Amino acid sequence: MTYAAEIQRQRATIASLGEKWAAIDPDMAARMAVQNRFRTGLDIARYTAKIMREDMAAYDVDPASYTQSLGCWHGFIGQQKMISIKKHFGTTKGRYLYLSGWMVAALRSEFGPLPDQSMHEKTSVPALIEELYTFLRQADARELGMMFRELDAAKDAGDAVNTHRLLREIDEHQTHVVPIIADIDAGFGNAEATYLLAKKMIEAGACALQIENQVSDEKQCGHQDGKVTVPHEDFLQKIRAIRYAFLELGVEDGIIVARTDSLGAGLTKQIAFSKEPGDLGDQYNAFLDCEEVAPTDITNGQVFISREGKLLAPKRLPSNLYQFRAGTGEDRCVLDCITALENGADLLWIETEKPHIGQIGGMVNRIREVIPNAKLVYNNSPSFNWTLNFRQQVFDAWEADGKDVSAYDRARLMSVDYDGTDLADEADERIRTFQKDAARDAGIFHHLITLPTYHTAALSTDNLAREYFGEAGMLGYVKGVQRKEIREGIACVKHQNMAGSDIGDDHKEAFAGEAALKAGGKDNTMNQFAA
């Protein structure tokens, strides 16, 4: 609905209620409605699911149409990210938000900082989704509010050209609300617990939920040791639970991202149930590290499975966990992915130990032999040492090609001594094009960085603390922060406006008329940033 049509709708509503609503301005009511186009989290989930489905279809046609996101641990961080994207690129198309369970655990738990082991309150996840969208909706209201002020000024000046332009821009305003891929970890319990939490996350606005095939009560960060996976049927129950949650809430296009940690997980808690040779349970059990046992050699406490007429004893650790055979990680990942897609998942996530296009692409090619349009969400993780990994990849490629690498020590390639060398420059170029190349060659539809704003907050705070508490004093803030904000057009340099002061003034004027006590008068020090 256009702004003009919304005004007409509000006029009709107000007129129908007679004199008692005579003081209500239909134009202001229309502005408030336009500034808040999303009424509920489910409105957001339905709207963003459609966007994400369209983006997935576009990627299937052209892998250059991959999408990206950054992990955000606070609504303000997500808001500033989207404001920045609109400022620099003019559109939010193809840019999402990522909600990292790691950052919820480390930064948002009432227990204080926690490791990424699903120990944080499960309710903190939907709470953060709701917070992120609250801040994005406020960014819409702020931006449109400034446009309405410009519109009033153009009308007062009799400027028909700018009036027409602003009315068109208001009608075509692109929201800051974008899809969010939200981490539900391993579901925080059984399938019923997963279903209940999924509903809360969807109701808060999430259109895409990422779930992993680890044991809930043994869950570890994807880049830590000691990961324990579950048999496929256990995982598929949770995928089905999430789909039921989406359907119950009327988000038919909701997206499920199935993550496998099998590449780095060498342990399982269960032996899978199997009815017949070759079924899914039997395939899972085939990866177990077993020893054939003669009946005369059975010892106390052993557990056995039978296969092809043989009695096999899976190796069981003192932790009561069973281990997989070494070198089976990629095969298990491929089976996990195919099984998940065949049973209702929409996208895959393979957690790897390094960002290597050949490794990822090799697995994706095998998956696509069964599911031709299989595609990934991939974690461009800060847990990888990108500099060292890519310098070593270049070193290995050069060595394989017979190029002289005697000037380089492979183990020391992180050293600043190699900065500016041909090898370092080629590695940096490979890092720069990694997302484009991996989208084309490794089936990666969505690139995200899980924890970037955790690291940028730490880095910027360290820089400010070093300067402000050192010799620079106040210049440390002014030169290092405020002057840059002003010259680079960072919206929150006017922090009162960013926090909603001008929106509040507009509302005060609507509510109280000439009696309104507004904050944005001539004595507001934010006016110093107008120049």
Side-chain angles (χ1 to χ4, degrees), residues 7 18 34 60 103 112 118 141 158 180 206 232 234 262 284 288 302 306 347 365 381 416 428 449 477 484-485 520 524:
I7 292 174
V34 170
D60 287 339
M103 286 205 284
S118 289
I180 186 169
H232 296 95
D234 291 40
S262 291
Y284 187 80
L288 292 171
Q302 279 186 297
S306 62
L347 293 168
N365 287 338
S381 177
V416 68
D428 281 353
I449 308 179
Y477 171 76
K484 289 182 178 180
E485 285 182 304
N524 188 317

Side-chain angles (χ1 to χ4, degrees), residues 3 151 162-172:
Y3 172 46
L151 177 64
N162 269 328
T163 296
H164 179 74
R165 174 184 64 81
L166 286 160
L167 285 169
R168 186 183 68 253
E169 289 180 3
I170 289 166
D171 287 341
E172 296 174 354

Side-chain angles (χ1 to χ4, degrees), residues 72 75-92 95-97 132 134-144 146 173-178 488-494 497-500 503:
C72 299
F76 176 74
I77 300 296
Q79 177 197 66
Q80 293 304 301
K81 183 187 102 172
M82 298 317 302
I83 288 174
S84 177
I85 286 170
K86 285 192 72 174
K87 181 183 77 172
H88 291 297
F89 305 104
T91 179
T92 61
R95 280 89 176 195
Y96 303 167
L97 292 178
L132 283 161
T134 296
F135 273 79
L136 295 185
R137 291 162 67 188
Q138 193 263 5
D140 281 357
R142 169 188 168 272
E143 188 170 68
L144 282 161
M146 292 190 295
H173 176 261
Q174 185 180 48
T175 177
H176 295 82
V177 170
V178 296
E488 295 178 21
I490 304 300
C492 65
V493 69
K494 296 185 178 182
N497 167 271
M498 197 74 254
I503 295 173

Side-chain angles (χ1 to χ4, degrees), residues 223-452:
H223 294 280
Q224 291 182 323
D225 203 356
K227 292 186 290 182
V228 184
T229 62
V230 297
H232 296 95
E233 180 52 36
D234 291 40
F235 188 53
L236 298 179
Q237 289 175 20
K238 295 185 177 183
I239 289 177
R240 289 192 286 270
I242 294 173
R243 182 60 65 200
Y244 275 113
F246 274 125
L247 293 173
E248 177 183 340
L249 295 172
V251 187
E252 290 84 0
D253 285 344
I255 290 105
I256 300 173
V257 181
R259 170 176 144 181
T260 173
D261 282 275
S262 291
L263 195 62
L267 303 170
T268 185
K269 202 170 189 176
Q270 300 164 260
I271 296 174
F273 175 71
S274 173
K275 289 184 178 179
E276 58 188 39
D279 65 14
L280 199 52
D282 189 48
Q283 291 180 68
Y284 187 80
N285 294 338
F287 293 116
L288 292 171
D289 191 0
C290 300
E291 293 179 340
E292 186 176 354
V293 180
T296 55
D297 295 332
I298 294 174
T299 59
N300 185 61
Q302 279 186 297
V303 174
F304 301 97
I305 59 174
S306 62
R307 181 178 296 116
E308 298 175 350
K310 298 177 181 178
L311 190 64
L312 303 175
K315 291 184 180 177
R316 187 162 59 162
L317 305 178
S319 60
N320 206 31
L321 299 171
Y322 301 94
Q323 68 183 37
F324 292 110
R325 287 181 285 112
T328 62
E330 288 199 9
D331 290 339
R332 285 183 282 127
C333 278
V334 171
L335 181 60
D336 294 344
C337 291
I338 292 171
T339 303
L341 291 175
E342 288 178 334
N343 287 272
D346 302 289
L347 293 168
L348 303 171
W349 174 319
I350 300 175
E351 194 73 277
T352 67
E353 82 286 2
K354 59 183 180 295
H356 193 289
I357 292 174
Q359 178 197 39
I360 304 161
M363 288 186 280
V364 170
N365 287 338
R366 292 175 61 189
I367 297 163
R368 285 182 167 177
E369 291 175 3
V370 181
I371 314 287
N373 69 339
K375 45 191 167 288
L376 302 187
V377 171
Y378 187 70
N379 178 9
N380 292 213
S381 177
S383 293
F384 303 143
N385 185 331
W386 286 76
T387 302
L388 180 61
N389 266 294
F390 276 81
R391 287 182 180 183
Q392 288 182 338
Q393 287 181 38
V394 173
F395 181 96
D396 294 342
W398 283 7
E399 189 174 51
D401 290 342
K403 191 169 182 176
D404 182 12
V405 292
S406 60
Y408 304 97
D409 180 348
R410 190 180 187 279
R412 293 185 58 254
L413 288 175
M414 183 65 201
S415 172
V416 68
D417 295 343
Y418 296 116
D419 289 0
T421 62
D422 289 345
L423 184 146
D425 289 346
E426 182 170 328
D428 281 353
E429 179 61 14
R430 290 192 184 195
I431 293 170
R432 187 186 71 81
T433 64
F434 174 78
Q435 294 187 342
K436 177 181 69 175
D437 296 341
R440 182 189 63 239
D441 299 332
I444 297 177
F445 156 72
H446 185 76
H447 284 277
L448 61 88
I449 308 179
T450 44
L451 321 176

